[in-house]
Amino acid sequence: MADLYARLDEERARAKQRHREALRAPIDAQDGGTLVHRDAEVRAMTQRIQRLDVADDGLCFGRLDTETGERRYIGRLGLFDDEDSYEPLLLDWRAAAARAFYVATAASPEGMRRRRQFHTRGRQIVDFTDELLGRPDAEEATGDAALLAAVNAPRGEGMRDIVATIQAEQDEIIRLDHPGVLVIEGGPGTGKTVVALHRVAYLLYTQRERMERHGVLVVGPNPAFLDHVSRVLPSLGESNVVFMTPGDLVPGLRVTAEDGPEAARHKGSRKILGVLAAAIADHQRVPVEPLPIELADVDVRIDAETAQWAIEEARASELPHNEARAVFIDVVTWVLTERAIARIGRGWLTRDDKAAWEHLRAELLDELDEHAGFAAALDQLWPTLTPQSLLAQLYTSQERLRAAGADPSLFRADGEAWTVSDVPLLDELVDLLGRGKEAEAAERAAEAERREEAAYAAGVLDLMIDREDLMDDEDHLIAQDLIGAEDLADRFTERDHRELAERAAADRDWTYRHVVVDEAQELSEMDWRVLMRRCPGRSFTVVGDLAQRRSAAGATSWGAMLDPYVAGRWEYRPLSVNYRTPAEIMAVAATVLADFAPTVRPPESVRATGVPPWSRQVRDDDEMVAAVEAFVAEEAGREGTSVVIGPADVPGAVAPADIKGLEFDAVLVVEPERILADGPRGAAELYVALTRATQRLGVLHRDPLPEALAGLVRG
């Protein structure tokens, strides 16, 4: 182990040296290519240093002994003895040669004789377990010891990687060579989320050049979930990953409200596309009465016939609404100028005098271009629209909703109280409306500003490096300038490192090479349209459990959501083993599952704790508060994490929807009868709540327990 860490330190020192050399490399001010080359080298070495730093913790966690006597060490990254021979000292866990560490069994040893798993603290081995392969009757420690130690360990603040304890069924999914959409379905505790994240790490390892430039998007149900899983990929040395909730997919939008089930169902259906198209068409109008336009020498009018012709021409262009406005204006302008010329030139001007005719038209066009009344008329008949303005006007008007054929449940008093269900509609409207000339100009100005800032930062960095070279005889000044240069370089490269995430988050048109969708059963048909736009290559890892669906617009089958986009290009892989929930708790949750999803088989737990889940009935609010406080105080004295789950009006309780995908050592479920009362969605939420615990589960209730929980031990 000491030799491996020594080699790691050498690699890190070499990467830092190359980083410094890249920063000091001479730059031709007239040659942008040399600056690009230097920045690419700086960025590459920065990422290399980050990966090497991550490997300090648990660098080597396993060893394989082959039947021929060879030893292979398995770790977080690959290390080689030197740059010339390139002999492997440590195999990256994702390498093909390391796969036997995860899939070899006594019955199928994959050419291996022994598997050893190391338990380390810092850079020291404190223990190890051996599994003899190829001899099922051998009386040696089994590979389950490391797995059980991991699943029994107290939970920390975030999800941990499972790189040392990946199981065979998980490894098969992680390494699956499938270019399209992979659906991973599993019940609570099956590790589907962490498997998906390890699959991302594997894809970045095997397809780094293709994937790293555009990055990977991970979509999760809420910020707490994303915070919980955000440490996994960095712990594996991967950082070009963008984390978002479905509400973040429209840049700059702030979700402040929640739709009722009926509104969410209508907004999530692809049928809403017809409503959006009709709502746009409702803003393309003919005047009830002709609109007068008073020019300097003549008065003209925009009548219904002219407006209708212009509308038909604009729609026939098949351009988005805001871009088709130019066609509408061209037709209206042509009609008005033709009429004006004919009146002004009556008696002296004919079409045969083309020069005079066109000269007069040019003067009229200039006048119309600055005419406030004409601009107001155009805005009345074919206004420039934004997604937000269109939806807000639609939601707050019963008349517009009826005209668009929308369901009345979409009506609301505050049109701009945006919900998660509005996000895919707003995103769709970006394409249906188009950006318009003003938005394009603003984007060009913002891009120019970003380029100027980047050039300024690079120039400052060059200046500081030049100053350092001029002060070689003054050691203390060299040290000060070196620190300053490296600090600025760090800030610059960090900014570059964050740029992908920053630019992706701010750019609605950013596309990713791969997208992970967690809790995918909650996404609607319209949500999937957004995600497919974000990944034109249709490379997805989809994670979910149909039995846990709570959204009225969510998936009832994977094919219903995916076949419109990737028919024949998606594969399904189930996970059936529960690594999180003890058998005692899973038995209770399985009873709830059987009531609302009788055809779904619950995952089988790998362990039992001997601690039965309990229930206690309280009489009033005071007793409920006291019982919750007692639970919190008791768990505060224990190692690990805990949570209270229940209705929003219970002090200190977290809603089931807010803890999806999370896990805790101890869970207290409050008033399950109220959670269950919310119909099919309530049953799914109670199932979620009951399956968050890794060690201990308690239930507090006022009314009689639901029948499915009647078997709980009275506490």
Side-chain angles (χ1 to χ4, degrees):
M1 191 69 71
D3 291 342
L4 291 176
Y5 273 107
R7 184 62 185 150
L8 176 69
D9 292 338
E10 291 174 6
E11 284 289 314
R12 184 158 37 218
R14 179 177 297 162
K16 288 182 177 180
Q17 178 61 29
R18 288 183 60 183
H19 185 265
R20 285 192 293 268
E21 290 173 355
L23 290 175
R24 295 189 177 95
I27 299 298
D28 183 349
Q30 303 302 317
D31 183 4
T34 58
L35 178 59
V36 170
H37 176 75
R38 185 189 74 174
D39 286 349
E41 179 71 3
V42 169
R43 186 180 297 109
M45 286 303 100
T46 299
Q47 293 176 344
R48 175 65 174 162
I49 293 167
Q50 290 171 340
R51 293 190 181 104
L52 292 169
D53 286 343
V54 165
D56 265 318
D57 184 14
L59 172 64
C60 175
F61 52 78
R63 192 186 86 190
L64 284 171
D65 297 351
T66 70
E67 293 175 345
T68 60
E70 176 191 358
R71 288 183 174 179
R72 300 178 184 174
Y73 289 91
I74 316 298
R76 291 183 174 274
L77 50 70
L79 291 175
F80 302 87
D81 58 354
D82 59 56
E83 292 184 345
D84 296 326
S85 64
Y86 217 61
E87 289 295 322
L89 298 175
L90 182 67
L91 290 173
D92 190 301
W93 66 275
R94 297 164 286 193
R99 187 169 185 268
F101 184 78
Y102 300 109
V103 302
T105 64
S108 179
E110 303 284 328
M112 302 297 149
R113 185 176 63 85
R114 184 191 306 271
R115 170 168 47 219
R116 173 168 291 179
Q117 291 182 299
F118 299 116
H119 309 285
T120 60
R121 183 177 297 114
R123 295 191 169 199
Q124 299 297 317
I125 297 176
V126 296
D127 192 12
F128 65 86
T129 57
D130 274 355
E131 182 181 4
L132 199 62
L133 303 169
R135 292 173 54 188
D137 59 338
E139 295 181 0
E140 297 203 17
T142 68
D144 288 342
L147 172 64
L148 291 176
V151 297
N152 279 316
R155 266 44 186 177
E157 293 183 356
M159 179 178 283
R160 297 168 295 193
D161 66 67
I162 58 168
V163 65
T165 57
I166 294 171
Q167 301 301 291
E169 72 166 355
Q170 298 172 330
D171 184 79
E172 179 183 355
I173 293 172
I174 289 169
R175 298 174 190 266
L176 187 64
D177 183 17
H178 178 64
V181 176
L182 174 64
V183 176
I184 306 173
E185 183 167 26
T190 53
K192 53 189 178 293
T193 296
V194 75
V195 167
L197 295 175
H198 282 68
R199 175 168 166 77
V200 169
Y202 177 76
L203 292 174
L204 285 168
Y205 174 78
T206 58
Q207 305 176 34
R208 189 170 301 282
E209 185 174 347
R210 184 184 75 85
M211 293 183 64
E212 199 168 43
R213 184 175 300 174
H214 281 247
V216 173
L217 173 64
V218 176
V219 179
N222 53 59
F225 173 87
L226 294 181
D227 183 63
H228 180 65
V229 305
S230 63
R231 299 166 180 82
V232 173
L233 285 165
S235 76
L236 298 173
E238 305 298 347
S239 54
N240 279 350
V241 181
V242 179
F243 293 90
M244 289 187 181
T245 69
D248 299 327
L249 290 169
V250 170
L253 187 74
R254 185 166 174 259
V255 172
T256 60
E258 183 176 355
D259 279 315
E262 193 67 11
R265 185 173 65 84
H266 284 287
K267 290 180 182 180
S269 170
R270 279 193 293 268
K271 294 178 181 178
I272 199 70
L273 293 172
V275 172
L276 297 180
I280 294 172
D282 189 44
H283 286 270
Q284 301 164 358
R285 298 188 167 187
V286 298
V288 177
E289 297 291 338
L291 301 177
I293 308 295
E294 297 180 1
L295 301 176
D297 298 320
V298 67
D299 292 345
V300 291
R301 302 186 306 169
I302 305 176
D303 54 29
E305 182 181 9
T306 299
Q308 185 61 44
W309 180 29
I311 288 173
E312 291 172 0
E313 291 295 320
R315 290 175 178 173
S317 72
E318 297 185 351
L319 292 170
H321 170 87
N322 290 333
E323 296 168 29
R325 174 181 159 97
V327 178
F328 178 86
I329 293 173
D330 284 346
V331 173
V332 172
T333 302
W334 185 85
V335 171
L336 295 188
T337 54
E338 283 290 301
R339 291 174 179 172
I341 293 170
R343 293 177 184 175
I344 294 171
R346 183 177 294 141
W348 63 271
L349 180 62
T350 67
R351 289 185 181 275
D352 293 336
D353 191 350
K354 294 181 180 180
W357 193 283
E358 292 305 321
H359 176 75
L360 185 52
R361 184 193 301 279
E363 290 183 344
L364 290 168
L365 287 174
D366 288 341
E367 186 175 357
L368 286 172
D369 190 50
E370 298 179 358
H371 196 289
F374 182 57
L378 294 175
D379 288 341
Q380 178 182 336
L381 301 177
W382 194 290
T384 299
L385 299 171
T386 67
Q388 288 87 344
S389 67
L390 177 74
L391 271 192
Q393 291 177 50
L394 177 67
Y395 291 154
T396 56
S397 170
Q398 298 279 15
E399 180 184 351
R400 287 189 182 276
L401 286 170
R402 283 193 296 270
D407 190 87
S409 65
L410 271 57
F411 177 81
R412 66 188 188 213
D414 185 352
E416 296 187 349
W418 304 117
T419 70
V420 171
S421 302
D422 290 327
V423 171
L425 278 60
L426 292 166
D427 190 74
E428 192 79 34
L429 285 168
V430 172
D431 287 344
L432 294 176
L433 295 177
R435 300 182 185 277
K437 294 182 179 179
E438 292 182 2
E440 291 175 0
E443 287 181 1
R444 287 194 297 270
E447 179 62 25
E449 184 178 356
R450 285 193 293 269
R451 289 176 181 172
E452 289 178 4
E453 290 175 353
Y456 175 77
V460 171
L461 180 59
D462 288 339
L463 178 61
M464 295 185 73
I465 293 172
D466 291 342
R467 286 184 60 207
E468 176 196 332
D469 292 338
L470 293 173
M471 295 181 179
D472 288 342
D473 294 332
E474 301 180 47
D475 291 342
H476 67 287
L477 289 177
I478 291 175
Q480 290 176 359
D481 270 5
L482 181 58
I483 292 172
E486 289 187 341
D487 283 349
L488 182 58
D490 285 343
R491 288 195 292 273
F492 185 63
T493 53
E494 280 179 8
R495 179 184 173 188
D496 277 351
H497 176 66
R498 293 193 307 268
E499 258 186 13
L500 184 144
E502 289 175 347
R503 286 185 289 124
D507 185 357
R508 180 263 177 186
D509 294 323
W510 187 276
T511 58
Y512 299 88
R513 288 294 182 262
H514 190 78
V515 176
V516 176
V517 187
D518 211 317
E519 299 293 342
Q521 74 277 355
E522 306 297 345
L523 299 191
S524 68
E525 293 174 333
M526 291 299 294
D527 288 324
W528 280 108
R529 288 179 64 86
V530 180
L531 293 175
M532 291 296 170
R533 280 193 285 269
R534 299 298 189 271
C535 188
R538 305 293 195 259
S539 179
F540 284 78
T541 300
V542 177
V543 181
D545 179 11
L546 294 177
Q548 296 187 53
R549 177 179 67 90
R550 68 181 294 273
S551 171
T556 56
S557 75
W558 298 117
M561 295 299 181
L562 298 176
D563 284 344
Y565 310 101
V566 288
R569 284 193 56 217
W570 65 275
E571 289 197 19
Y572 176 85
R573 289 291 185 274
L575 289 171
S576 58
V577 179
N578 189 330
Y579 300 100
R580 174 178 69 215
T581 315
E584 297 88 346
I585 296 176
M586 198 62 217
V588 176
T591 306
V592 175
L593 178 66
D595 279 353
F596 75 94
T599 62
V600 178
R601 183 177 178 180
E604 184 177 350
S605 298
V606 299
R607 68 194 171 105
T609 61
V611 180
W614 55 267
S615 68
R616 174 185 165 192
Q617 188 167 18
V618 297
R619 293 168 295 184
D620 51 37
D621 288 346
D622 291 342
E623 192 173 352
M624 176 69 75
V625 171
V628 170
E629 290 177 348
F631 168 82
V632 173
E634 181 179 358
E635 291 300 330
R638 289 174 164 166
E639 187 178 5
T641 60
S642 63
V643 69
V644 178
I645 305 173
D649 58 353
V650 176
V654 179
D658 294 333
I659 46 84
K660 296 199 75 170
L662 307 185
E663 57 183 30
F664 306 87
D665 291 271
V667 171
L668 181 66
V669 178
V670 178
E671 301 203 76
E673 65 278 13
R674 289 179 56 194
I675 298 174
L676 192 60
D678 196 13
R681 182 170 73 172
E685 291 191 340
L686 180 57
Y687 180 60
V688 169
L690 294 171
T691 54
R692 299 306 95 193
T694 66
Q695 303 291 339
R696 300 173 295 281
L697 172 67
V699 174
L700 292 177
H701 62 103
R702 279 189 253 204
D703 296 332
L705 277 175
E707 185 177 346
L709 302 182
L712 290 172
V713 174
R714 298 297 177 181

